[in-house]
C-alpha cells in the first residue's frame, strides 16, 4: 500500500474573473462581484500531496525539504503578492478561477514530481470555497 | 482528469439518539449520554463536494453561487436551529446519527446535482468526530 | 508582571432562549429562531484563563492538571450532552445565552480559583459568536 | 463586571501599499512586494467586540442579529470583493494597511455602537499577521 | 455506497531522524535539523478513518466510543509524552518519520478493526506537514 | 488610542519538566508524564504583539518584516528543532514550562522592541494549553 505526504503553503494575490469573449453584461451576470474590473483578492492556502512508496532507508516518500523548495520556486515566488491576471503568464488566456489555478499549479509541479509518484493539489480560495485537482 | 469543488456551510441543531424498537435500558447502554431524553446539540459543519469537468468558458465545475443556494434551500433552512428528531421529517423514523444525517443531506442535494457530476458529503458533528458519504 | 495560563475544554448541549415573563410573540420577536420550543444546540468551546505569579519552584502559575480537573467536575460533567434549560440548575431562572453561560461558569470556578488569582472565561457558542467574562 | 460579545465576519479585497508623497524607490524600499502596482489581495477576517452590561431581560449585551446587520451594511457591503485603494472612499488618502483598515472599520461602527458600550476591532490580514484597535 | 467515520486524537512526543547504518555526515546531510542528537518534538494530531456499512439498528458504522478506546489503549497511552526512539518498541529499528509512525499506528489498530471494515490513518506532524496511510 | 500588531511564528522542540533541587519522587509527583527523563516535545505556536502609535507616513505601528526578522534571529533560529533543556542556554537553570518559555522570549525580544512600544507574548504549547506574558 502506498503512502501520501502533504505539504502546505500559501500565497496572497489579486484576481478578476472575466471572459474576454463575452460582453460586459454577460460577464457581470455570470461572475457577479468576482468580475469587479478593479480586482479583489484572496489568501490562497495550498496543499500539495505526493503519493508513493516509502523509501526504507529514509522513511520518506519524498524529502519534504525538496518538495518545499519546488513549491517555492514554481508557485509562491511566481504567484505571491501578484495580480494573477496581469502579472502571471499562466492566466493570460485562462480565467483564474480556483479550478484553473489548481490545474496550473499541478502542471508546474508535475514537471518535477513525475510518475510513478502521484500528485494532487488542494487549493483554498477562502475558508469556505476550495478545489482539488485531480479529483 | 476531473476537478472537485467544495463548499462549506454550517447549522446548529438539537438531537437525541434513540431506537424506538429497543428498551430504555438498551438505548442507554448503546447510545450512552447521546440518549439524553431532553436532547443535546451540536454546531454541524458541512462540506459539499461536487466532482466534474471544468467548463472552459467559465473555468467552473459548477457555479458556487448556485451550489450555495441549493445548500441553503435544501439543508440549512430546514435543519438550522431545529430539533432534528422533532422538527425535521428526514428523521421521523431514522436515528439522526452523523452517518444518517450525511446520507439525508446527500439525498436532498442529489435531486439537484445529478450525474455525470459526482456528489460527496462531509459532516463534522464535533471537531473530533466526522463522517463522509459516500466514503 | 503577571502571567496568564489558559486551558481549553468543550461541551455539547441543547438550549432555548425564552423569557418566561414575556408573551410568545415577544419571545419570537426578540430571540427569533433561537426561541424554537423544541430546542437547538451547540458545540461550546471554553477557554479558562488564570492570571497570577509564576511559582519559581514549579515554573507554573497553576498546575494545569488541577485546572483541568476543576473544569471537568464543575463544568463539563454538569453541562455536557445536556439540555441547559431542563437539566442544569444554573438556568432554571436564567436565560442560557452565551453571556449568562459564561458568567455561570465563572461563578462555578471562582469557588476554587480565588484571589489573588484572577479568572476569565471565554466561551464560543459558534465559531462566529463568542463572549468573554469579565471583559 | 462587564461582559464582551464578539462577532466574526470576513471580506475579500485587493489593495496596494503606496505613499503618494514618496518616490517609487522609497515606496518599493518601505513596502516591498506589498507595493506591487497591479495590486495583490487578502481574505480579511474581522472580529468586532462590544463590551457592556448584560441586560437581565434578554441575557444579551447587545442583540447579535443587530450587530451582524451593522457589520454587513457598514463594512462587508462596502469592502467585500473590492479594490480598497480604488473603490473605497476611506482609503482615498489613507494607506490601506491592516492598522488603517481596522481604524476605518472602528470609526464606521462607532457611529452605531456608542458609549457606554465599548468597541474593539481585530482584523486578520493573513493567518500570520493581524491587528487590534484600540489595543 | 459505504460511509466513513473519522475520530481525531493527539499525542505529544520527542523524536530524532537517524539511520544507524549511515555515517554522522550522511545523517546530517539527509535529515538536517531533524537529526539533532538531543531530539526535538511535536504535537501529533491523528485522524483514524473507518469505512463500512451503516448498521440500520444503530445508525453507526462503528461505535465511536469503542474506536476512541482502541485509539487510547493502542496509540496514545503508548506514544503520548514519550521519546519515540527510546521509549516505543515500534521504532527500535524503524526511523520515526511521519510516514513510518502512520504505518505503525495502522498496524496497531488493524488488529482490532478488521475486514470488511477499511482503515485509514492521517497523521499531522505539524500544521504544514502531514501524511496518509494507506494513500 | 493605540494599535496592536501581532505576528505569528512557530517552532518544534523537545523538553522535560524537572526541578534539580527535588527528589525523583517529588518531580514525578508534581510534573507527571511531563517529567519523562527521555523528553517529549511540542509544536509551539508563538504570537508576538507590539502596541504603539501608527506612523502616519507608513500606516504601520512597526514594519512586520523587521518584527519577523527579530523573531527569526532571537527565537526560532535558537529554539527550533532543539532540546530546550540541553541545547538552549535560557533553560540551563530555569524549568522550560510554557510560562518560563514565554518570559524568556519576551526578554529576548524586549532588547529590540523598546518603550514606548509595549510587547506581549502568547505561546501555545498545545492547542489546549497556552500562556500570555505579561498577562
Amino acid at each position: 500500500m502506498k503512502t501520501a505526504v502533504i505539504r502546505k503553503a500559501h500565497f496572497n494575490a489579486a484576481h478578476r474573473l472575466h471572459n474576454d469573449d463575452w460582453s460586459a453584461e454577460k460577464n457581470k451576470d455570470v461572475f457577479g462581484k468576482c468580475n469587479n474590473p478593479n480586482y479583489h483578492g484572496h489568501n490562497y492556502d495550498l496543499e500539495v500531496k505526493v503519493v508513493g512508496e516509502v523509501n526504507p532507508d529514509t522513511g520518506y516518500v519524498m524529502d519534504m525539504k525538496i518538495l518545499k523548495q519546488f513549491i517555492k520556486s514554481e508557485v509562491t515566488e511566481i504567484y505571491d503578492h501578484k495580480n494573477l491576471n496581469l502579472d502571471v503568464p499562466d492566466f493570460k488566456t485562462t480565467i483564474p478561477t480556483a479550478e484553473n489555478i489548481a490545474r496550473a499549479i499541478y502542471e508546474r509541479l508535475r514537471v518535477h514530481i513525475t510518475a510513478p509518484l502521484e500528485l494532487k493539489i488542494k487549493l483554498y480560495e477562502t475558508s469556505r470555497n476550495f478545489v482539488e485537482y485531480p479529483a
Side-chain angles (χ1 to χ4, degrees), chain A:
Chain A
M1 291 190 296
K2 291 185 174 179
T3 300
V5 295
I6 299 100
R7 174 77 194 171
K8 287 195 183 179
H10 50 263
F11 57 90
N12 311 320
H15 80 151
R16 178 200 188 194
L17 302 187
H18 187 266
N19 184 328
D20 294 342
D21 296 336
W22 291 349
S23 67
E25 289 72 17
K26 182 162 185 183
N27 270 293
K28 185 72 184 171
D29 186 51
V30 171
F31 293 122
K33 58 189 181 178
C34 297
N35 186 238
N36 179 359
N38 287 332
Y39 308 98
H40 64 285
H42 297 289
N43 301 327
Y44 290 94
D45 284 316
L46 171 65
E47 293 181 12
V48 177
K49 180 191 286 197
V50 178
V51 179
E53 301 290 342
V54 175
N55 179 329
D57 290 337
T58 59
Y60 284 166
V61 168
M62 177 182 182
D63 187 333
M64 294 292 250
K65 294 185 293 294
I66 294 173
L67 178 56
K68 184 182 176 181
Q69 185 55 44
F70 284 148
I71 296 172
K72 186 180 179 190
S73 63
E74 288 295 338
V75 183
T76 57
E77 286 190 348
I78 294 165
Y79 287 19
D80 188 38
H81 280 75
K82 296 292 172 57
N83 182 309
L84 297 179
N85 302 64
L86 300 181
D87 297 329
V88 180
D90 308 14
F91 306 106
K92 286 299 180 209
T93 61
T94 302
I95 305 169
T97 58
E99 290 92 328
N100 284 338
I101 300 171
R103 190 162 52 184
I105 291 171
Y106 175 89
E107 289 170 2
R108 286 179 164 277
L109 291 174
R110 201 53 169 145
V111 176
H112 304 282
I113 300 165
T114 54
L117 291 173
E118 299 164 47
L119 177 66
K120 288 177 180 286
I121 303 297
K122 184 184 277 194
L123 183 71
Y124 289 79
E125 191 171 78
T126 70
S127 60
R128 291 155 299 284
N129 286 338
F130 55 103
V131 302
E132 296 173 347
Y133 180 80

